[in-house]
Amino acid sequence: MGNDTAGMGAARTSRPGYALLLAAGPMGKQRLMDAAAALPQLAAVPPAALLGTPGGASVVQLVDPADPQTVLTHLRTAAAHPGPVLIYLAGQLTLDHKQRLPHFALARTTPRTARYSALPWHWLAAELAGRPPGSTTVLADLVADETAWPRLSDGRLPVDTLASGLTLYGTIAPAPPKRRTAAPVYSRALAGLLRGAADGPEFALLHQQAAAEAGLGAGPGLLLGAPVEGYAAYEASRAYDVSRAYAAPGAYEASGAYEASRAPGAPGAYAPQDAHGTREPQKPQHPQQFRAPAVPAVPGDAAPPASPPPPPPAAPPGAATPAPDPHGAIFEAAHAGRHSEAASMAAAWEQEALRAAGPRSSEAIHWLEVRADLARLAGDPARACELWLSVADARLGNGEATGHPEVEGAVDRAHHQWQFVQEAARAHALAPMLIDLRGRVPGRRAGALEAVRRRVELLRTTAQAR
């Protein structure tokens, strides 16, 4: 999850990097993790290896700061750095008493004073939001206290909310038994892997390896980032690529679909579950082979039935006979970076479908879906969200049930793309329709509607704070 489209963490560059290593927790009996124990091992990693920057890196350590404003100042310094940036946090996640928003606990934090004495998590996202995609990585080794863990574990606080706007990897564990303190086992495993990384950190891979080495695949904890075996819930944090559906007949249904490294922009974020192979899509022999992707079931559910494929598109404007299937050429242009060309071709086919079959026809809806995925590939999540909302609205207008896989899939993908919209005005403009559709189409993951409302509130709070 995150805005690192290459899945590599901080981008490799000759520029010096900047690492902010923060270990904190409440003093006394409220402390749940020995967070500072991880810093010596991370600090022993050569700065250039820590960020993959041959030009070196500045490393700043903060141990048990008491004032959230002090931490904010350091975050702003990191956010202003022109090179790759790494933010590492070890400690406790808590919720403030009034708004129930996630906070990173500091030395003076108590359950009643978290709103004033802890670092609001949305400050972290807000300060890093303006940095170039792929230039920033956040690593988190967290224990959730009694205010946060129940909501994380039952979905009232979707863990994806923490990754909104961030390239985030890490782990969240429940509090240890009373009179015991958790050890930062994930951080220790990660530090060992970083010391042995030959070509600079590939955090998506290192995260998965660290989680496995630390034995985090079978416990009750949650992972932030790439999935590992035993964390079935995190199979849902992958993003699908509709062009994969243009492979051989039935390939999509057999494999399932969604690739986090293809997701644009930020994080994290709410994403429907899919899985697929990594081979390049093959051009089909017939247009009938395309199927609009359906949202697969969560683990334990039966896979939803795929809807019948739409009939072959009509000939494009000006053509006397049906042309060869256009999907291969369209997505070839998109993957080559010729996004305007790809969008123009898809728009021409959509207009022909509108003229021949009408705006609510399966052909027209199909081309809306193609245009939505092209917008995603072009790095325009706002436009992708808008188009997926139109797909959902059209399907519901055709009488499809709110629980139909195609309807759920359209709303899930609109929600997923909306979380990558960085411009507050665009996100706010899209939110009412998304909230309306989420209310009617809650999807298969608990807390999706609340996640939208929470992000709207976070956007409002951030705007008021500036």
Side-chain angles (χ1 to χ4, degrees), residues 276-289:
H276 60 67
T278 57
R279 61 187 177 86
E280 286 301 309
Q282 301 172 0
K283 182 177 178 180
Q285 296 179 348
H286 304 288
Q288 295 97 319
Q289 293 176 1

Side-chain angles (χ1 to χ4, degrees), residues 8 13 43-44 54 71 78 96 119 171 204 210-211 255 277 362-363 386 394 405 440:
M8 301 286 288
T13 175
V71 180
D96 73 281
L119 178 76
T171 181
S255 64
S362 60
E363 297 94 330
E386 183 179 40
R440 290 187 283 163

Side-chain angles (χ1 to χ4, degrees), residues 268-351:
Y270 182 88
Q273 174 186 359
D274 291 329
H276 60 67
T278 57
R279 61 187 177 86
E280 286 301 309
Q282 301 172 0
K283 182 177 178 180
Q285 296 179 348
H286 304 288
Q288 295 97 319
Q289 293 176 1
F290 171 80
R291 291 177 185 261
V295 178
V298 295
D301 289 346
S307 60
T321 58
D325 173 60
H327 298 96
I330 289 172
F331 279 93
E332 179 180 344
H335 286 295
R338 303 194 307 274
H339 299 294
S340 296
E341 177 185 338
S344 296
M345 287 192 287
W349 282 89
E350 182 187 31
Q351 288 302 311

Side-chain angles (χ1 to χ4, degrees), residues 41-432:
Q41 297 182 57
L42 280 172
V45 178
L50 194 61
L51 289 104
T53 50
S58 299
V59 179
V60 176
Q61 298 184 50
L62 288 180
V63 181
D64 284 327
D67 181 12
Q69 292 295 329
T70 298
V71 180
L72 180 61
T73 298
H74 283 277
L75 283 174
R76 287 177 174 168
T77 300
H81 187 78
V85 167
L86 172 67
I87 307 294
Y88 166 83
L89 303 101
Q92 290 174 222
L93 193 71
T94 189
L95 304 185
D96 73 281
H97 185 69
K98 184 175 182 181
Q99 294 181 298
R100 316 304 289 175
L101 296 177
H103 287 62
F104 181 75
L106 302 179
R108 297 177 183 171
T109 300
T110 69
R112 301 291 299 183
T113 66
R115 188 179 180 190
Y116 309 102
S117 61
L119 178 76
W121 193 267
H122 60 267
W123 284 11
L124 177 68
E127 292 304 321
L128 300 178
R131 290 186 52 78
S135 68
T136 313
T137 302
V138 179
L139 303 175
D141 194 344
L142 304 172
V143 170
D145 70 9
E146 71 278 2
T147 70
W149 182 252
R151 289 174 174 261
L152 284 165
S153 59
D154 67 12
R156 285 177 293 166
L157 175 61
V159 71
D160 296 336
T161 303
L162 300 177
S164 181
L166 301 172
T167 298
L168 176 64
Y169 301 103
T171 181
I172 307 176
K178 288 185 177 181
R179 291 187 287 276
R180 294 186 62 182
T181 303
V185 291
Y186 169 82
S187 297
R188 289 172 178 169
L190 186 66
L193 292 167
L194 281 167
R195 286 195 297 271
D199 299 321
E202 298 183 8
F203 286 112
L205 176 60
L206 292 178
H207 159 72
Q208 185 167 347
Q209 293 174 334
E213 287 191 13
L216 300 176
L222 302 172
L223 289 188
L224 305 164
V228 295
E229 185 177 355
Y231 280 78
Y234 275 80
E235 291 298 324
S237 64
R238 307 189 192 200
Y240 95 106
D241 180 349
V242 77
S243 67
R244 302 288 182 179
Y246 307 132
Y252 184 89
E253 292 81 352
S255 64
Y258 243 59
E259 182 178 60
S261 64
R262 307 294 307 212
Y270 182 88
Q273 174 186 359
D274 291 329
H276 60 67
T278 57
R279 61 187 177 86
E280 286 301 309
Q282 301 172 0
K283 182 177 178 180
Q285 296 179 348
H286 304 288
Q288 295 97 319
Q289 293 176 1
F290 171 80
R291 291 177 185 261
V295 178
V298 295
D301 289 346
S307 60
T321 58
D325 173 60
H327 298 96
I330 289 172
F331 279 93
E332 179 180 344
H335 286 295
R338 303 194 307 274
H339 299 294
S340 296
E341 177 185 338
S344 296
M345 287 192 287
W349 282 89
E350 182 187 31
Q351 288 302 311
E352 179 62 17
L354 291 170
R355 183 195 64 78
R360 293 290 173 86
S361 64
S362 60
E363 297 94 330
I365 292 174
H366 161 68
W367 286 108
L368 266 179
E369 292 171 330
V370 172
R371 289 176 58 213
D373 200 53
L374 290 175
R376 179 187 66 82
L377 291 173
D380 189 351
R383 182 60 174 155
C385 172
E386 183 179 40
L387 289 166
W388 280 119
L389 290 173
S390 296
V391 171
D393 185 65
R395 289 189 176 281
L396 289 169
N398 280 349
E400 293 184 26
T402 57
H404 192 286
E406 304 287 3
V407 176
E408 287 187 340
V411 178
D412 282 350
R413 287 152 196 150
H415 187 167
H416 180 71
Q417 291 298 313
W418 178 75
Q419 291 201 135
F420 292 129
V421 179
Q422 297 297 304
E423 299 175 40
R426 296 288 305 276
H428 275 294
L430 292 165

